[in-house]
Amino acid sequence: MKQLYIAGNWKMHKTVAESVALAKDLVAKLGASGQKVMIAPAFTALASVAAVVKGTKIRLGAQNMGPEEQGAHTGEVSVLMLKDLGVSTVILGHSERRHSYKEDDGLINKKVLLALKHGIEPILCVGETLEEREAGRLESVIGTQVREGLKGVDAAVLAKLVIAYEPVWAIGTGKTATPQDADAVHAYIRKVLAGLYGEGPAKSMCIQYGGSVKADNAKELMGMANIDGALVGGASLKAETFVPIVEF
Ligand code: 13P
Protein backbone atom coordinates (compact mmCIF):
# COMPACT_ATOMS: atom_id res chain seq x y z
CA MET A 1 0.00 0.00 0.00
CA LYS A 2 1.19 3.53 -0.72
CA GLN A 3 2.38 5.61 2.20
CA LEU A 4 -0.09 8.39 2.93
CA TYR A 5 0.65 11.87 4.22
CA ILE A 6 -1.89 12.92 6.86
CA ALA A 7 -1.61 16.49 8.13
CA GLY A 8 -3.54 18.29 10.85
CA ASN A 9 -4.18 22.00 10.45
CA TRP A 10 -5.17 23.25 13.88
CA LYS A 11 -6.06 26.71 12.51
CA MET A 12 -6.73 29.39 15.17
CA HIS A 13 -7.42 26.95 17.98
CA LYS A 14 -5.80 25.96 21.27
CA THR A 15 -3.69 27.60 23.93
CA VAL A 16 -0.07 26.53 24.38
CA ALA A 17 -1.03 24.09 27.15
CA GLU A 18 -3.83 22.57 25.05
CA SER A 19 -1.53 22.25 22.04
CA VAL A 20 1.17 20.53 24.09
CA ALA A 21 -1.37 18.12 25.57
CA LEU A 22 -2.69 17.14 22.14
CA ALA A 23 0.81 16.79 20.69
CA LYS A 24 1.83 14.50 23.58
CA ASP A 25 -1.27 12.40 23.06
CA LEU A 26 -0.54 12.09 19.32
CA VAL A 27 3.10 11.18 19.91
CA ALA A 28 1.96 8.40 22.25
CA LYS A 29 -0.72 7.11 19.90
CA LEU A 30 0.96 7.55 16.52
CA GLY A 31 4.54 6.71 17.39
CA ALA A 32 4.31 3.40 15.54
CA SER A 33 2.21 4.59 12.60
CA GLY A 34 3.52 3.80 9.16
CA GLN A 35 2.07 6.97 7.66
CA LYS A 36 3.74 10.34 7.28
CA VAL A 37 2.10 12.66 9.85
CA MET A 38 2.31 16.41 10.36
CA ILE A 39 0.63 18.77 12.80
CA ALA A 40 0.41 22.54 12.36
CA PRO A 41 -0.39 24.37 15.61
CA ALA A 42 -0.79 28.14 15.90
CA PHE A 43 2.44 30.18 15.80
CA THR A 44 2.24 30.81 19.56
CA ALA A 45 2.40 27.09 20.31
CA LEU A 46 5.10 26.11 17.79
CA ALA A 47 8.07 26.29 20.15
CA SER A 48 6.38 24.25 22.86
CA VAL A 49 5.01 21.66 20.45
CA ALA A 50 8.44 21.47 18.78
CA ALA A 51 9.88 20.22 22.07
CA VAL A 52 7.20 17.50 22.23
CA VAL A 53 7.58 16.17 18.68
CA LYS A 54 11.37 16.47 18.47
CA GLY A 55 12.89 13.11 17.62
CA THR A 56 9.49 11.53 16.95
CA LYS A 57 7.93 10.66 13.63
CA ILE A 58 5.51 13.61 13.79
CA ARG A 59 6.56 16.55 11.64
CA LEU A 60 6.01 20.10 12.81
CA GLY A 61 4.22 22.45 10.44
CA ALA A 62 3.30 26.13 10.39
CA GLN A 63 0.03 27.42 8.95
CA ASN A 64 1.53 30.34 7.05
CA MET A 65 4.63 32.53 6.83
CA GLY A 66 5.66 35.91 5.52
CA PRO A 67 7.01 36.40 1.99
CA GLU A 68 10.31 37.96 3.14
CA GLU A 69 13.24 36.59 5.12
CA GLN A 70 13.31 39.50 7.58
CA GLY A 71 12.77 43.23 7.87
CA ALA A 72 10.14 45.79 8.71
CA HIS A 73 7.05 43.62 8.23
CA THR A 74 4.89 44.12 11.29
CA GLY A 75 2.92 41.07 12.28
CA GLU A 76 4.64 38.64 9.94
CA VAL A 77 6.56 35.49 10.86
CA SER A 78 9.59 34.66 8.76
CA VAL A 79 10.83 31.42 7.27
CA LEU A 80 14.05 31.84 9.30
CA MET A 81 12.06 32.03 12.55
CA LEU A 82 10.14 28.89 11.61
CA LYS A 83 13.33 27.06 10.75
CA ASP A 84 14.84 28.14 14.04
CA LEU A 85 11.98 26.37 15.86
CA GLY A 86 12.36 23.11 13.97
CA VAL A 87 9.42 23.61 11.62
CA SER A 88 9.80 21.40 8.57
CA THR A 89 6.57 22.12 6.68
CA VAL A 90 4.48 25.18 5.95
CA ILE A 91 0.90 25.36 4.68
CA LEU A 92 0.69 28.06 2.00
CA GLY A 93 -2.21 29.53 0.07
CA HIS A 94 -4.88 28.03 2.30
CA SER A 95 -8.28 29.18 1.09
CA GLU A 96 -8.83 31.03 4.36
CA ARG A 97 -5.69 33.05 3.55
CA ARG A 98 -6.74 33.53 -0.07
CA HIS A 99 -10.29 34.62 0.75
CA SER A 100 -10.20 36.30 4.16
CA TYR A 101 -6.79 37.94 3.77
CA LYS A 102 -6.77 38.41 0.00
CA GLU A 103 -3.57 36.47 -0.64
CA ASP A 104 -3.09 36.14 -4.39
CA ASP A 105 -1.16 33.65 -6.49
CA GLY A 106 1.84 35.98 -6.83
CA LEU A 107 2.25 36.36 -3.07
CA ILE A 108 1.73 32.64 -2.49
CA ASN A 109 4.32 31.84 -5.17
CA LYS A 110 6.83 34.10 -3.44
CA LYS A 111 6.29 32.19 -0.19
CA VAL A 112 6.57 28.80 -1.94
CA LEU A 113 9.94 29.76 -3.44
CA LEU A 114 11.17 31.13 -0.12
CA ALA A 115 10.18 27.98 1.78
CA LEU A 116 11.93 25.77 -0.79
CA LYS A 117 15.02 27.96 -0.66
CA HIS A 118 15.27 27.26 3.07
CA GLY A 119 14.51 23.55 2.86
CA ILE A 120 11.01 23.81 4.30
CA GLU A 121 8.36 21.66 2.62
CA PRO A 122 5.53 23.83 1.30
CA ILE A 123 2.01 22.43 1.15
CA LEU A 124 0.50 24.52 -1.62
CA CYS A 125 -3.29 24.63 -1.19
CA VAL A 126 -5.57 25.04 -4.16
CA GLY A 127 -9.33 24.86 -4.45
CA GLU A 128 -12.38 26.32 -6.10
CA THR A 129 -15.41 28.01 -4.57
CA LEU A 130 -18.88 26.58 -5.15
CA GLU A 131 -19.65 29.53 -7.41
CA GLU A 132 -16.60 28.81 -9.57
CA ARG A 133 -17.45 25.10 -9.75
CA GLU A 134 -21.04 25.77 -10.73
CA ALA A 135 -19.93 28.25 -13.38
CA GLY A 136 -17.82 25.51 -14.99
CA ARG A 137 -14.58 27.23 -14.02
CA LEU A 138 -13.15 24.44 -11.87
CA GLU A 139 -10.29 23.50 -14.20
CA SER A 140 -9.31 27.06 -15.06
CA VAL A 141 -9.25 28.09 -11.38
CA ILE A 142 -7.27 25.04 -10.23
CA GLY A 143 -4.97 25.19 -13.26
CA THR A 144 -4.14 28.83 -12.62
CA GLN A 145 -3.54 28.29 -8.90
CA VAL A 146 -1.18 25.38 -9.62
CA ARG A 147 0.71 27.06 -12.48
CA GLU A 148 1.06 30.43 -10.74
CA GLY A 149 1.84 28.88 -7.36
CA LEU A 150 4.67 26.84 -8.88
CA LYS A 151 6.14 29.57 -11.07
CA GLY A 152 9.94 29.33 -10.94
CA VAL A 153 9.90 26.03 -9.04
CA ASP A 154 12.60 23.86 -10.54
CA ALA A 155 11.84 20.26 -11.48
CA ALA A 156 14.69 19.17 -9.22
CA VAL A 157 12.88 20.39 -6.09
CA LEU A 158 9.33 19.50 -7.06
CA ALA A 159 9.39 16.34 -4.96
CA LYS A 160 10.02 18.48 -1.87
CA LEU A 161 6.63 20.11 -2.32
CA VAL A 162 3.11 18.88 -1.62
CA ILE A 163 -0.15 20.06 -3.14
CA ALA A 164 -3.40 20.00 -1.18
CA TYR A 165 -6.70 20.12 -3.05
CA GLU A 166 -9.25 21.72 -0.76
CA PRO A 167 -12.53 22.66 -2.40
CA VAL A 168 -13.59 25.79 -0.53
CA TRP A 169 -17.20 24.60 -0.26
CA ALA A 170 -16.08 21.47 1.59
CA ILE A 171 -14.02 23.17 4.29
CA GLY A 172 -15.63 23.08 7.71
CA THR A 173 -19.05 22.51 6.18
CA GLY A 174 -19.42 18.78 6.65
CA LYS A 175 -19.76 18.50 2.86
CA THR A 176 -17.06 16.37 1.28
CA ALA A 177 -16.33 16.03 -2.39
CA THR A 178 -17.28 12.50 -3.39
CA PRO A 179 -14.15 10.34 -3.61
CA GLN A 180 -14.69 10.18 -7.38
CA ASP A 181 -15.03 13.97 -7.71
CA ALA A 182 -11.95 14.58 -5.60
CA ASP A 183 -9.98 11.97 -7.51
CA ALA A 184 -10.93 13.59 -10.82
CA VAL A 185 -9.61 16.97 -9.66
CA HIS A 186 -6.41 15.33 -8.37
CA ALA A 187 -6.02 13.69 -11.79
CA TYR A 188 -6.49 17.09 -13.41
CA ILE A 189 -3.79 18.57 -11.13
CA ARG A 190 -1.46 15.77 -12.27
CA LYS A 191 -2.26 16.65 -15.87
CA VAL A 192 -1.29 20.28 -15.24
CA LEU A 193 1.89 19.10 -13.50
CA ALA A 194 2.69 16.77 -16.40
CA GLY A 195 2.43 19.74 -18.75
CA LEU A 196 4.90 21.65 -16.60
CA TYR A 197 7.31 18.93 -15.51
CA GLY A 198 6.56 15.75 -17.46
CA GLU A 199 4.63 12.55 -16.64
CA GLY A 200 7.12 11.06 -14.16
CA PRO A 201 7.26 13.94 -11.65
CA ALA A 202 3.50 14.49 -12.04
CA LYS A 203 2.80 10.88 -11.16
CA SER A 204 4.99 10.84 -8.07
CA MET A 205 3.76 14.17 -6.69
CA CYS A 206 2.01 13.93 -3.31
CA ILE A 207 -1.48 15.44 -3.55
CA GLN A 208 -3.53 15.63 -0.36
CA TYR A 209 -7.28 16.10 -0.17
CA GLY A 210 -8.79 18.43 2.41
CA GLY A 211 -12.34 19.40 3.30
CA SER A 212 -14.39 17.70 6.03
CA VAL A 213 -12.17 14.63 6.15
CA LYS A 214 -13.33 12.42 9.02
CA ALA A 215 -12.63 8.87 10.17
CA ASP A 216 -15.72 7.61 8.39
CA ASN A 217 -14.84 8.98 4.93
CA ALA A 218 -11.04 8.70 5.12
CA LYS A 219 -10.85 5.12 3.93
CA GLU A 220 -12.79 5.71 0.76
CA LEU A 221 -11.03 8.99 -0.06
CA MET A 222 -7.55 7.62 0.65
CA GLY A 223 -8.29 4.57 -1.47
CA MET A 224 -8.56 6.65 -4.63
CA ALA A 225 -5.71 6.33 -7.11
CA ASN A 226 -4.79 10.03 -7.19
CA ILE A 227 -5.24 10.86 -3.50
CA ASP A 228 -2.06 10.55 -1.44
CA GLY A 229 -3.12 11.89 1.92
CA ALA A 230 -5.29 14.36 3.76
CA LEU A 231 -5.11 17.87 5.14
CA VAL A 232 -7.47 17.73 8.09
CA GLY A 233 -8.99 20.71 9.91
CA GLY A 234 -11.74 20.17 12.48
CA ALA A 235 -11.09 16.47 13.01
CA SER A 236 -7.41 17.11 13.77
CA LEU A 237 -8.23 18.99 16.98
CA LYS A 238 -8.72 15.86 19.10
CA ALA A 239 -6.69 12.67 19.22
CA GLU A 240 -9.95 10.65 19.22
CA THR A 241 -10.90 12.05 15.81
CA PHE A 242 -7.43 12.46 14.24
CA VAL A 243 -5.81 9.13 15.15
CA PRO A 244 -8.53 7.06 13.41
CA ILE A 245 -7.96 9.08 10.22
CA VAL A 246 -4.25 8.31 10.29
CA GLU A 247 -4.97 4.68 11.06
CA PHE A 248 -8.14 4.16 9.05
P1 13P B 1 -12.04 20.81 7.75
O1 13P B 1 -11.42 19.44 7.84
O2 13P B 1 -12.45 21.37 9.07
O3 13P B 1 -13.10 20.87 6.70
O4 13P B 1 -10.85 21.80 7.25
C1 13P B 1 -10.11 21.46 6.15
C2 13P B 1 -8.99 22.41 6.04
O5 13P B 1 -9.19 23.57 5.74
C3 13P B 1 -7.64 21.91 6.33
O6 13P B 1 -6.66 22.82 5.94
Side-chain angles (χ1 to χ4, degrees):
M1 206 186 127
K2 64 183 174 188
Q3 194 202 33
L4 296 166
Y5 185 3
I6 312 293
N9 174 7
W10 295 0
K11 304 193 181 181
M12 201 172 73
H13 293 286
K14 296 192 184 292
T15 61
V16 174
E18 288 164 350
S19 301
V20 165
L22 177 55
K24 281 186 178 165
D25 209 3
L26 294 176
V27 166
K29 291 177 173 146
L30 294 173
S33 166
Q35 313 294 20
K36 184 172 168 184
V37 181
M38 181 276 270
I39 52 175
F43 286 129
T44 49
L46 279 173
S48 307
V49 171
V52 177
V53 300
K54 194 171 181 193
T56 75
K57 63 155 295 151
I58 298 183
R59 297 170 70 91
L60 183 65
Q63 301 172 19
N64 186 27
M65 66 176 215
E68 316 285 346
E69 279 168 359
Q70 59 188 340
H73 302 286
T74 303
E76 290 290 351
V77 172
S78 116
V79 65
L80 302 176
M81 297 165 185
L82 297 181
K83 231 178 135 171
D84 186 39
L85 293 181
V87 166
S88 58
T89 299
V90 62
I91 300 169
L92 296 175
H94 191 281
S95 70
E96 287 149 15
R97 303 293 324 167
R98 289 179 189 265
H99 296 281
S100 307
Y101 301 97
K102 307 291 172 244
E103 292 198 6
D104 62 19
D105 288 320
L107 178 70
I108 294 161
N109 175 244
K110 209 170 162 191
K111 296 182 184 189
V112 166
L113 294 172
L114 191 59
L116 286 169
K117 177 181 167 196
H118 289 282
I120 292 193
E121 170 190 78
I123 298 184
L124 170 64
C125 300
V126 300
E128 83 289 1
T129 62
L130 190 57
E131 208 180 6
E132 289 162 342
R133 177 174 270 252
E134 287 175 345
R137 296 181 49 224
L138 169 72
E139 292 195 350
S140 82
V141 169
I142 300 292
T144 301
Q145 290 177 349
V146 171
R147 273 187 283 268
E148 296 296 314
L150 295 180
K151 223 172 213 169
V153 172
D154 203 77
V157 294
L158 189 68
K160 300 195 188 315
L161 184 142
V162 172
I163 290 183
Y165 169 56
E166 298 203 309
V168 180
W169 48 271
I171 296 176
T173 58
K175 287 183 199 157
T176 331
T178 65
Q180 292 71 21
D181 271 354
D183 193 64
V185 180
H186 284 224
Y188 178 69
I189 293 171
R190 286 195 207 284
K191 192 172 149 190
V192 174
L193 292 170
L196 295 170
Y197 298 100
E199 292 288 342
K203 217 171 154 191
S204 49
M205 185 83 190
C206 174
I207 308 179
Q208 297 173 325
Y209 170 78
S212 299
V213 176
K214 308 272 182 273
D216 57 9
N217 58 25
K219 187 173 178 190
E220 226 191 324
L221 284 162
M222 297 307 118
M224 302 307 290
N226 289 292
I227 300 182
D228 306 309
L231 183 53
V232 185
S236 72
L237 294 173
K238 287 184 188 159
E240 304 94 90
T241 48
F242 189 59
V243 171
I245 295 175
V246 179
E247 296 188 329
F248 72 88

